Amino acid sequence: MINYRSTLALIGLFLCLSVQNPSHGQIRKTLFIILDGIQRELLEKNPTPSIDEISQKGDYIHAHVGGMRGGYSETPTISAVGYNSLLTGVWYNKHNVRDNSIRQPNYNYWTVFRFLKTAFPHKTTAVYSTWLDNRTKLVGENLPETGHLQLDYHFDGMEIDTLGFPHDNESKYIHEIDKLVAAYAAKDVLEKGPDLSWVYLQYTDDMGHRYGVSEQMNHAIREADKQVGLIWSAIKEREKLYGEEWLLLITTDHGRGEGGFGHGGQSDAERATWIVSSQSLNERAGSIPGVVDLLPTMADFMGIPIPKNQAMEIDGISLLKKPYADRLEGTLEGERLHLKWHDYDSGQKAKVWITTGNQFRFGNSDTYRLVGEVELSAEKVALDLGTIYQNLKVVLELPKGYCNVWVKNIP
């Protein structure tokens, strides 16, 4: 059995070692952190020097979870649901994780780890987590449904070691595990530099559930910032020694309801989240983007190619480089398809594709029909389809990337 407390003592030593033989040329790497259940107003209220330093280098923006409130993609504001929306770039109606039991994920919607490993088998991946299910169920390591996806490094599962970490009513054991996870992740960043890593820390959510808006929650946020700082220091050292360029993304999985205790519903407070980036973000950052935007952002930064049939299903749009359009909405009225969107002064055209049914969820490809080309500057169009459809998946093919929406015919 691993002696976790002895490991923690060694981590400080490892972080002081010089890394030999720095590589030549700049390589891009990504690490994303989920700090569980930190509502936006408390993050902004508390002193967070490490997060502030990262956001000053890059960006801090308001974001959201929860999908389309009252619509087809409405998504519970629950932890595992939010994690999977980030990992897959799609909402609950596609990835099928509706709560923390994670009963039947639809692995046909790939995680960012699977996209990376499929495109670049030689690149390395890692998960450092205070919850084992993140690796075994959400990422789905070594499952037939994920093509037996293998991670290169992981550090997790301590929460099920009740001898090493006796459970207590104040979640002190979770705090200790969070510290271990962050320190181990920092060590691996410095020593191994995984190309794509996920760090998950839980203690803030526990304090929210127990105490709501409170000094205990404030303290947990400040502790999380220290843990972020340890990882950020390792990234900066790695960049200096190896000439690499890193994207560090930090977010949370949901807001909180009245008093800062619960979550899961669709109130503004439960849907409200935030994103911190070590890289400057594009104009879409001001549109209160969704957690689903982080997968295409990471793919954009890392140059991960996503096949067209899969890219057309992704609900998110990159927050890097030039944006073209977003916020696609649609309705069907008889034989006419009405669409509207937001244009970013692109001066470009886009193609409109439609398909009936949804074979993608079964692992098959849908057959799309091109029904028109639009000027993005018009921000709306009405297309005569020549027949009546009851349901459609609609995709706007942009000069780079896609927007999609599901529509139903109005009786």
Side-chain angles (χ1 to χ4, degrees):
M1 179 181 293
I2 296 174
N3 186 326
Y4 297 112
R5 301 187 190 284
S6 297
T7 300
L8 182 60
L10 291 171
I11 285 170
L13 175 62
F14 286 136
L15 285 171
C16 294
L17 296 176
S18 296
V19 181
Q20 302 298 315
N21 302 319
S23 62
H24 298 285
Q26 195 166 58
I27 297 172
R28 288 189 162 190
K29 297 176 183 278
T30 296
L31 186 148
F32 61 97
I33 302 174
I34 296 178
L35 303 179
D36 201 317
I38 300 179
Q39 58 267 59
R40 190 187 295 161
E41 64 272 16
L42 288 190
L43 181 75
E44 295 173 357
K45 170 186 172 183
N46 276 280
T48 52
S50 297
I51 290 174
D52 291 349
E53 180 184 325
I54 298 162
S55 64
Q56 286 163 10
K57 180 179 184 294
D59 257 316
Y60 166 76
I61 63 172
H62 289 183
H64 77 278
V65 295
M68 181 188 294
R69 180 160 42 196
Y72 67 90
S73 66
E74 182 172 290
T75 297
T77 53
I78 295 172
S79 294
V81 187
Y83 313 159
N84 214 42
S85 293
L86 186 159
L87 289 170
T88 61
V90 303
W91 298 113
Y92 154 66
N93 63 299
K94 296 179 181 178
H95 66 58
N96 203 42
V97 172
R98 67 167 293 111
D99 55 37
N100 290 336
S101 62
I102 317 175
R103 289 187 181 89
Q104 292 182 310
N106 189 335
Y107 294 113
N108 293 316
Y109 297 93
W110 288 14
T111 65
V112 66
F113 290 102
R114 192 172 179 187
F115 281 123
L116 178 76
K117 275 294 192 181
T118 300
F120 307 115
H122 64 286
K123 289 190 180 291
T124 53
T125 53
V127 170
Y128 311 98
S129 173
T130 303
W131 197 36
L132 180 62
D133 286 356
N134 286 337
R135 173 172 60 88
T136 59
K137 292 184 178 181
L138 294 182
V139 175
E141 185 179 34
N142 202 33
L143 296 180
E145 297 88 343
T146 64
H148 297 283
L149 173 70
Q150 293 290 331
L151 297 170
D152 296 279
Y153 314 111
H154 68 266
F155 187 72
D156 55 15
M158 283 77 74
E159 77 279 9
I160 62 176
D161 177 8
T162 56
L163 293 178
F165 298 91
H167 293 197
D168 62 279
N169 292 332
E170 297 296 314
S171 283
K172 292 179 181 177
Y173 77 103
I174 292 293
H175 187 204
E176 291 303 313
I177 293 171
D178 274 4
K179 290 192 291 185
L180 261 180
V181 167
Y184 199 98
K187 174 184 75 72
D188 264 14
V189 165
L190 186 59
E191 290 187 326
K192 301 171 182 175
D195 293 287
L196 176 64
S197 306
W198 175 16
V199 177
Y200 166 72
L201 305 175
Q202 178 181 320
Y203 184 60
T204 45
D205 191 52
D206 283 14
M207 292 301 96
H209 280 293
R210 281 178 171 80
Y211 300 107
V213 177
S214 61
E215 183 48 44
Q216 289 90 339
M217 183 62 166
N218 292 337
H219 175 262
I221 292 170
R222 294 192 292 268
E223 288 295 294
D225 183 71
K226 293 178 185 177
Q227 291 149 20
V228 167
L230 188 63
I231 296 166
W232 177 233
S233 293
I235 288 174
K236 290 189 294 183
E237 188 69 9
R238 180 89 191 185
E239 287 182 323
K240 182 174 69 175
L241 292 171
Y242 280 76
E244 298 164 344
E245 182 181 10
W246 284 67
L247 170 64
L248 173 59
L249 294 168
I250 312 167
T251 190
T252 195
D253 49 331
H254 53 75
R256 310 199 80 91
E258 186 175 353
F261 291 93
H263 54 87
Q266 290 291 316
S267 69
D268 288 347
E270 289 166 294
R271 291 170 57 87
T273 60
W274 47 269
I275 295 170
V276 170
S277 170
S278 64
Q279 300 281 340
S280 296
L281 303 178
N282 63 25
E283 295 171 68
R284 293 197 61 246
S287 67
I288 311 184
V291 68
V292 293
D293 292 318
L294 294 182
L295 180 147
T297 299
M298 291 186 279
D300 203 353
F301 181 78
M302 299 278 287
I304 303 171
I306 299 178
K308 183 175 181 178
N309 69 316
Q310 292 173 294
M312 291 171 84
E313 293 287 335
I314 291 174
D315 295 323
I317 301 172
S318 175
L319 293 166
L320 295 174
K321 299 181 181 177
K322 180 178 178 58
Y324 294 96
D326 63 6
R327 292 171 257 175
L328 179 64
E329 299 178 22
T331 57
L332 276 170
E333 293 182 356
E335 298 181 358
R336 292 180 72 78
L337 171 64
H338 297 268
L339 298 174
K340 61 180 181 178
W341 58 86
H342 176 77
D343 173 54
Y344 286 93
D345 297 321
S346 65
Q348 299 291 317
K349 294 181 179 181
K351 295 177 180 178
V352 180
W353 299 87
I354 64 169
T355 187
T356 58
N358 183 16
Q359 292 302 306
F360 189 92
R361 71 185 188 276
F362 302 119
N364 303 316
S365 292
D366 292 299
T367 301
Y368 281 88
R369 176 164 75 95
L370 180 65
V371 294
E373 189 173 60
V374 299
E375 297 284 350
L376 288 174
S377 60
E379 295 194 320
K380 64 180 180 179
V381 70
L383 298 170
D384 189 347
L385 303 180
T387 188
I388 294 176
Y389 296 100
Q390 295 306 312
N391 301 280
L392 286 177
K393 288 198 299 184
V394 181
V395 176
L396 195 64
E397 182 178 356
L398 305 171
K400 177 177 171 54
Y402 304 86
C403 300
N404 73 77
V405 67
W406 292 8
V407 297
K408 290 185 177 181
N409 214 308
I410 299 173

